[in-house]
Amino acid sequence: MKTLFVGQNRIHLQSVDSTNSYATEMLRQISLPDGTLFYTFEQQNGRGQRGNSWESEPIKNVALSYVLYPKFIAADKQFMLTKVIALAVADLLTAIFKKQGVLADVKIKWPNDIYVNNQKIAGILIENTIRDSFIQSSIVGIGININQTLFKNNLQATSLKLICGKEFDLEEIIIHLSEYIEANYLQLKANKQNLINNNYLNCFYKLNETATYKVDNEIIEAKIVGVSELGLLQLKLADDTIREFDFKKIEFI
Ligand code: BTN
């Protein structure tokens, strides 16, 4: 692995309920080096955002969690971490498609789902601990659909195998992912915020497109115009006003 620290301390778990929960528990008990990686190919009870579950067929996909200490990120800037992690996953997938000679459109669906050709291929769950207004530690959980080809109908999911028509080596993917995570994370550490913001918006799903959303049980048509510093989605409504929405308040339809 060509990294300085991300994934250097690597712990393979044969089977686990959730790598995020496991990493959180380990962090409570012992000190873990920055960039420690817990990974499994058999996650029984994966957790997703909004209290959803993350399902993954055994031995087909990777589920992993990195332990990071981004103490340089203020609590009100935590969304920057979300951005660099989503960009790292997008970079990994873009590189794989390029290598395979496959034309595929990788997008970040706000706040940090990774979509390819309008279907979800990866999910991210970041759990930060804040102390004195700065991030103290962060558990960065990522699930990527790799060799799974059957998904529940309602999931609108896809995988690398479905897109490229071949199987991938799971360990190799973890190595490359760790390299992209480190590269993007170091950009954040070096305070390259403009570059990160530009990269994020360049990959943004449905930017400047009109789409349908559910807000407080109401269906509205609106256009995504950006994301605020706090990570709120900025929508231009039919009356041309711009409003910001919290992740818990709004849903893509
Ligand atoms: C989502 O799409 O809602 C986020 C899904 C995050 C899934 C990953 S898999 C590894 C890590 N451990 C978990 O329990 N969840 C994350």
Side-chain angles (χ1 to χ4, degrees):
M1 186 162 330
K2 291 188 246 121
T3 58
L4 296 170
F5 65 103
V6 173
Q8 286 297 334
N9 182 34
R10 190 154 79 239
I11 296 123
H12 177 214
L13 306 164
Q14 204 54 252
S15 166
V16 71
D17 58 344
S18 149
T19 55
N20 264 37
S21 304
Y22 190 90
T24 304
E25 187 51 33
M26 290 308 283
L27 191 56
R28 229 174 44 85
Q29 291 179 18
I30 54 173
S31 72
L32 295 166
D34 201 4
T36 292
L37 165 60
F38 294 97
Y39 69 101
T40 187
F41 307 129
E42 203 172 331
Q43 182 170 249
Q44 312 281 0
N45 195 13
R47 294 190 285 114
Q49 301 186 52
R50 304 178 200 255
N52 287 335
S53 60
W54 174 259
E55 284 173 34
S56 176
E57 202 183 312
I59 319 301
K60 301 269 166 127
N61 307 312
V62 299
L64 49 81
S65 302
Y66 294 98
V67 180
L68 297 171
Y69 305 104
K71 297 185 183 178
F72 56 94
I73 305 177
D76 60 359
K77 296 263 168 37
Q78 335 183 16
F79 197 70
M80 288 307 288
L81 182 63
T82 301
K83 285 186 185 174
V84 287
I85 299 301
L87 281 170
V89 178
D91 283 352
L92 167 81
L93 297 172
T94 303
I96 292 174
F97 295 139
K98 192 165 170 211
K99 190 166 173 211
Q100 297 299 321
V102 170
L103 270 182
D105 204 16
V106 182
K107 294 279 176 207
I108 300 169
K109 185 175 166 195
W110 178 81
N112 57 1
D113 286 344
I114 311 299
Y115 269 57
V116 177
N117 304 337
N118 280 313
Q119 290 178 306
K120 184 162 169 174
I121 191 163
I124 299 169
L125 179 68
I126 299 178
E127 296 177 296
N128 295 327
T129 304
I130 308 291
R131 184 185 291 176
D132 297 333
S133 304
F134 279 83
I135 302 183
Q136 170 79 8
S137 63
S138 182
I139 307 289
V140 173
I142 303 169
I144 309 177
N145 298 329
I146 315 273
N147 294 325
Q148 184 168 344
T149 53
L150 289 175
F151 295 94
K152 283 189 190 151
N153 285 340
N154 60 349
L155 273 186
Q156 264 214 43
T158 191
S159 68
L160 280 180
K161 185 172 178 191
L162 281 174
I163 296 163
C164 301
K166 61 164 274 197
E167 300 240 331
F168 289 83
D169 184 294
L170 301 181
E171 298 267 359
E172 216 175 286
I173 300 241
I174 290 173
I175 289 171
H176 290 303
L177 175 63
S178 301
E179 291 166 357
Y180 285 110
I181 296 276
E182 181 167 287
N184 280 274
Y185 182 77
L186 289 180
Q187 283 187 345
L188 181 56
K189 203 165 181 183
N191 212 9
K192 300 214 170 114
Q193 302 206 11
N194 287 342
L195 176 73
I196 295 163
N197 288 334
N198 284 339
N199 289 345
Y200 185 74
L201 283 181
N202 272 336
C203 270
F204 210 76
Y205 182 76
K206 293 207 164 142
L207 183 67
N208 293 322
E209 284 179 39
T210 301
T212 314
Y213 302 89
K214 190 161 136 191
V215 185
D216 291 334
N217 280 325
E218 199 189 323
I219 307 287
I220 60 161
E221 290 258 306
K223 188 158 100 177
I224 300 182
V225 289
V227 180
S228 77
E229 225 182 35
L230 289 174
L232 302 177
L233 188 67
Q234 297 167 326
L235 291 183
K236 192 176 202 173
L237 308 182
D239 63 2
D240 269 359
T241 55
I242 293 180
R243 267 183 65 192
E244 296 189 344
F245 293 93
D246 187 82
F247 181 56
K248 288 173 217 96
K249 285 241 169 72
I250 186 159
E251 224 178 289
F252 284 83
I253 302 281

